[in-house]
């Protein structure tokens, strides 16, 4: 019975994330940023256990005063909301738009030159995500 409950919960959470992601993906970026920051701030206020843990650890380990630690906690919650927004926007973006917004800092030229010379290349990369690509 527990496995079935976990499967149902996972399916419901996945469906919820698809709905949220789909909603965020159609919003203008500025509107989406305001919404996710508002939701993140609300979540932070309701999630006292984790918020207090972040604040206390930031004070103890980073030597921050309470105001700076609270600001760091706020920024952390907002960061996760913005990651969700960026991933939602990126999933619906056309290749041309991603290419236009992505700066490869000369890597594309080097790769083209190697391939034109017939030398080939092995390209290793982590991933292209919200850190590498931002709005």
């Amino acid at each position: 019975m527990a496995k079935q409950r976990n499967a149902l919960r996972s399916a419901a959470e996945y469906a919820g994330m698809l709905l949220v992601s789909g909603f965020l993906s159609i919003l203008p970026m500025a509107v989406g940023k305001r919404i996710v920051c508002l939701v993140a701030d609300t979540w932070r206020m309701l999630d006292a256990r984790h918020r207090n843990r972040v604040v206390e650890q930031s004070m103890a380990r980073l030597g921050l005063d309470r105001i700076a630690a609270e600001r760091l906690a706020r920024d952390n919650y907002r960061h996760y909301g913005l990651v969700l927004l960026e991933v939602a926007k990126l999933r619906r973006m056309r290749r041309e738009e991603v290419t236009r917004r992505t700066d490869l800092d000369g890597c594309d030229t080097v790769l083209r030159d190697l391939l034109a010379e017939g030398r080939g290349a092995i390209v290793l990369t982590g991933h292209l995500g919200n850190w590498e690509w931002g709005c």
Side-chain angles (χ1 to χ4, degrees), residues 1-19:
M1 187 63 146
K3 282 186 179 183
Q4 184 179 12
R5 196 171 351 160
N6 286 338
L8 288 173
R9 180 178 176 178
S10 293
E13 289 172 352
Y14 181 67
M17 287 305 297
L18 286 178
L19 286 172

Side-chain angles (χ1 to χ4, degrees), residues 89-120:
K89 298 299 264 184
L90 187 59
R91 288 183 64 213
R92 290 181 60 104
M93 215 172 271
R94 289 199 164 105
R95 179 184 301 226
E96 297 80 23
E97 180 67 10
V98 173
T99 301
R100 186 183 70 75
R101 292 174 175 251
T102 304
D103 180 11
L104 299 174
D105 199 25
C107 292
D108 55 335
T109 305
V110 171
L111 184 58
R112 268 193 227 110
D113 291 347
L114 288 171
L115 293 174
E117 293 173 12
R119 293 176 56 189

